[in-house]
Amino acid sequence: MPDSPSVDPQDIAPAVTNLETIVSLSKRRGFVFPSSEIYGGINAVWDYGPLGVELKNNVKRAWWRTMVQLRDDIVGLDAGILMAPQVWVTSGHVASFSDPLVECQTDHRRFRVDELPGAEDLSPSELMDPGVVQRLGLTCPVDGGPLSAPRRFNLMFKTYMGPVEEDAALVYLRPETAQGIYVNFRNVRETARKKIPFGIAQIGKAFRNEISPGNFVFRMREFEQMEMQYFVRPEAAAGQFEEWLPRRLEWYETYGVIPARLRTREHRPDELAHYAKKAVDLEYRFPFGWKELEGVHNRGDWDLGRHQEASGENLEYFDPATNEHFIPWIVETSAGADRAAFTFLIDAYREEEVRGETRVSLALHPELAPYKVAVLPLLKKRPEIVELCHRIKDDLKRDMTAVYDDTAAIGKLYRRQDEIGTPWCVTVDVESLEDGAVTLRERDTMTQERIPVEGVKRAILDRLDAARP
Ligand code: GAP
């Protein structure tokens, strides 16, 4: 697939120009908080608040639905975060999972070389060139101080298993979920009775001691991945790669991301990770530039081949149709759950003028919206209205996330729900007590419709179903 898009990427405006708009909305409305904030925070770890956890769970659910539930050829797995340390030696992470860093000689801050102004486009070998700092005249971006020559910094977190902190007890926090899938390849194939081509999908935490984390939840030290490894015949890998790439792009578009803000970028040969034969990043136009959202990789037979060799266990696949034994090749789709949730949040952000006021709304896909519906009283002083609201809300809650709010006048209540992306509001007024009907309001069009109380749940379930891919 050629790199897209056909339009000049620089012409495409991000959904918000200032990241601060999203950071402050997230804090104010309870999507994301800095971790351990009362102790001053901890760098590059973020906590999801009541709305954030709903959004991120919905993103993970949507991914699982597309990648596992709707497919006959992909099954799930939930492997441990801690694994035998030998896994990371075999996978190449102990030797190669590192970034080149330089250190400022005056303030001792450390930077990834490729993030220094003037070094962004260097190849991996140029980034490790001992003379690169002098040749390009690179200096500390904070205080202008001199920088050391580059050296490799391994990104894996280490800890100790058991009561003694000694080298023999060293274990790593996994830097990717993929290895849990490879070491379970045989278990899953045998128990799920899958024939090639088939996939194994997993969602889980990963940890990387990033040198320069930042841009809010974009690059964190603790994050979640949604990875799928598709096992294929060697000669089918290139073709499967070309099928998975557009499928994954389409997933983001289906859940609402504006297609012009997505593009693909193929890794240059000198940029490829140690395991990859081919790699293409799906990139999104973040407020801070085009950045990776997900990677699609042709990993060849690197992973199963290496694990077979190091463990001495047979990880070959026997194809009864051709009578052949072979190591399957792997096409991997590797997404970040946090990065995906962040992308959906940014991309959904809307500001518009309504009757002289700025209306902020999140046009989130209904499947992703934290609350599907808010039930609101027009008059909170009338107990019968409040009681009917609660009755409707409690009934809705059996099938979806629903909230009741009476802490402001109706106009303000609508704006609050718009700002957190609630697709529907149900309003109960004095007339509802007479005619048994309520108002159903749509977030994006702000249109209102009168429907009978008994029809509320069906109306919303039908709309949710119609929106579901
Ligand atoms: N198994 C292959 C692999 O891990 P990767 O490109 O290193 O590939 C895949 O990571 C995805 O994981 C990225 O596209 C991104 O969405 C997410 N990711 C990686 N590092 C991250 C970090 N420090 N913070 C948040 N998400 C991250």
Side-chain angles (χ1 to χ4, degrees):
M1 191 184 186
D3 280 9
S4 56
S6 48
V7 262
D8 179 351
Q10 299 312 323
D11 291 343
I12 294 155
V16 290
T17 42
N18 188 351
L19 181 60
E20 194 45 40
T21 309
I22 297 296
V23 176
S24 82
L25 172 73
S26 297
K27 178 85 201 288
R28 191 161 32 86
R29 300 309 311 274
F31 280 93
V32 177
F33 308 124
S35 169
S36 321
E37 196 178 11
I38 60 167
Y39 287 98
I42 173 171
N43 199 3
V45 186
W46 296 90
D47 297 343
Y48 287 84
L51 295 182
V53 66
E54 296 289 348
L55 171 65
K56 193 170 145 187
N57 278 345
N58 290 341
V59 168
K60 291 190 282 184
R61 229 174 265 131
W63 184 88
W64 195 264
R65 182 171 188 277
T66 304
M67 301 295 279
V68 181
Q69 187 183 331
L70 293 179
R71 297 192 64 106
D72 294 330
D73 56 347
I74 302 181
V75 289
L77 180 76
D78 183 11
I81 287 172
L82 301 175
M83 303 180 73
Q86 187 60 33
V87 168
W88 305 108
V89 177
T90 307
S91 68
H93 283 81
V94 169
S96 317
F97 194 57
S98 54
D99 279 340
L101 74 74
V102 286
E103 188 173 317
C104 174
Q105 307 295 289
T106 49
D107 67 9
H108 300 287
R109 284 177 207 266
R110 290 165 169 194
F111 303 95
R112 257 172 68 166
V113 185
D114 61 339
E115 291 193 340
L116 292 173
E120 300 95 337
D121 294 325
L122 297 184
S123 69
S125 50
E126 288 169 321
L127 290 171
M128 277 310 291
D129 171 5
V132 70
V133 169
Q134 268 195 325
R135 191 163 50 78
L136 297 181
L138 302 175
T139 52
C140 173
V142 178
D143 69 358
L147 296 171
S148 69
R151 64 190 170 84
R152 291 226 153 265
F153 175 75
N154 193 291
L155 302 181
M156 278 197 295
F157 278 99
K158 295 171 185 160
T159 186
Y160 297 95
M161 192 170 243
V164 189
E165 292 192 9
E166 58 183 12
D167 284 354
L170 181 72
V171 288
Y172 300 96
L173 302 189
R174 67 180 176 199
E176 62 170 14
T177 59
Q179 298 300 324
I181 295 181
Y182 307 140
V183 300
N184 276 293
F185 167 72
R186 202 171 61 187
N187 286 337
V188 174
R189 181 181 59 75
E190 285 173 3
T191 52
R193 301 185 160 278
K194 286 291 167 200
K195 290 205 177 75
I196 267 175
F198 78 93
I200 305 177
Q202 172 165 228
I203 297 177
K205 289 268 182 172
F207 302 82
R208 296 182 188 179
N209 197 4
E210 300 281 2
I211 302 162
S212 43
N215 286 327
F216 195 37
V217 296
F218 177 79
R219 185 170 288 125
M220 302 192 281
R221 293 197 167 117
E222 174 180 341
F223 57 99
E224 238 173 321
Q225 288 189 315
M226 309 187 289
E227 296 200 300
M228 192 282 298
Q229 315 294 322
Y230 205 63
F231 301 90
V232 301
R233 292 184 63 88
E235 66 277 13
Q240 285 290 349
F241 185 97
E242 300 307 328
E243 287 184 25
W244 276 106
L245 191 56
R247 244 180 233 147
R248 292 303 307 144
L249 259 183
E250 196 191 324
W251 184 77
Y252 291 99
E253 294 172 7
T254 304
Y255 282 97
V257 177
I258 291 179
R261 295 201 195 108
L262 290 166
R263 72 175 190 188
T264 55
R265 187 186 73 81
E266 180 162 357
H267 287 209
R268 298 184 308 263
D270 64 353
E271 199 189 347
L272 286 173
H274 58 275
Y275 52 75
K277 292 210 170 320
K278 180 172 177 176
V280 173
D281 287 344
L282 308 190
E283 293 189 336
Y284 176 71
R285 179 65 170 98
F286 287 97
F288 40 89
W290 286 98
K291 298 278 176 201
E292 176 184 347
L293 177 56
E294 169 162 351
V296 180
H297 311 128
N298 178 349
R299 299 181 67 126
D301 63 357
W302 165 269
D303 303 283
L304 291 184
R306 295 267 300 186
H307 283 305
Q308 170 165 284
E309 199 182 314
S311 68
E313 295 286 330
N314 182 0
L315 299 182
E316 286 183 340
Y317 176 82
F318 173 65
D319 190 339
T322 59
N323 236 0
E324 283 171 286
H325 292 267
F326 60 90
I327 295 280
W329 279 34
I330 291 167
V331 175
E332 168 185 66
T333 69
S334 178
D338 310 270
R339 223 173 260 188
F342 184 37
T343 299
F344 289 121
L345 189 64
I346 295 175
D347 209 67
Y349 188 86
R350 309 273 185 278
E351 267 182 26
E352 60 182 322
E353 283 296 305
V354 177
R355 279 178 247 109
E357 277 187 38
T358 306
R359 173 184 181 247
V360 172
S361 67
L362 288 182
L364 285 170
H365 188 285
E367 287 264 295
L368 303 184
Y371 297 137
K372 307 305 176 214
V373 56
V375 185
L376 314 169
L378 202 69
L379 274 180
K380 70 171 175 183
K381 291 201 177 95
R382 290 284 296 268
E384 314 93 286
I385 293 182
V386 172
E387 192 197 323
L388 181 54
C389 280
H390 280 291
R391 200 149 38 88
I392 297 171
K393 180 258 305 167
D394 288 342
D395 183 41
L396 290 168
K397 266 177 135 94
R398 293 166 59 84
D399 292 278
M400 66 192 82
T401 46
V403 279
Y404 168 82
D405 190 7
D406 67 6
T407 55
I410 193 69
K412 196 157 186 194
L413 293 179
Y414 282 149
R415 281 198 296 282
R416 277 190 199 158
Q417 295 300 327
D418 289 342
E419 198 188 36
I420 60 170
T422 308
W424 298 287
C425 288
V426 170
T427 310
V428 178
D429 54 26
V430 181
E431 266 178 42
S432 308
L433 304 174
E434 314 279 312
D435 66 3
V438 291
T439 303
L440 180 64
R441 174 189 182 264
E442 303 259 351
R443 175 196 65 202
D444 296 338
T445 57
M446 290 188 284
T447 49
Q448 303 194 358
E449 192 186 331
R450 202 77 185 158
I451 56 169
V453 170
E454 312 82 64
V456 169
K457 194 198 257 186
R458 189 69 268 151
I460 295 174
L461 284 175
D462 285 349
R463 284 165 169 77
L464 270 174
D465 199 46
R468 184 171 294 139

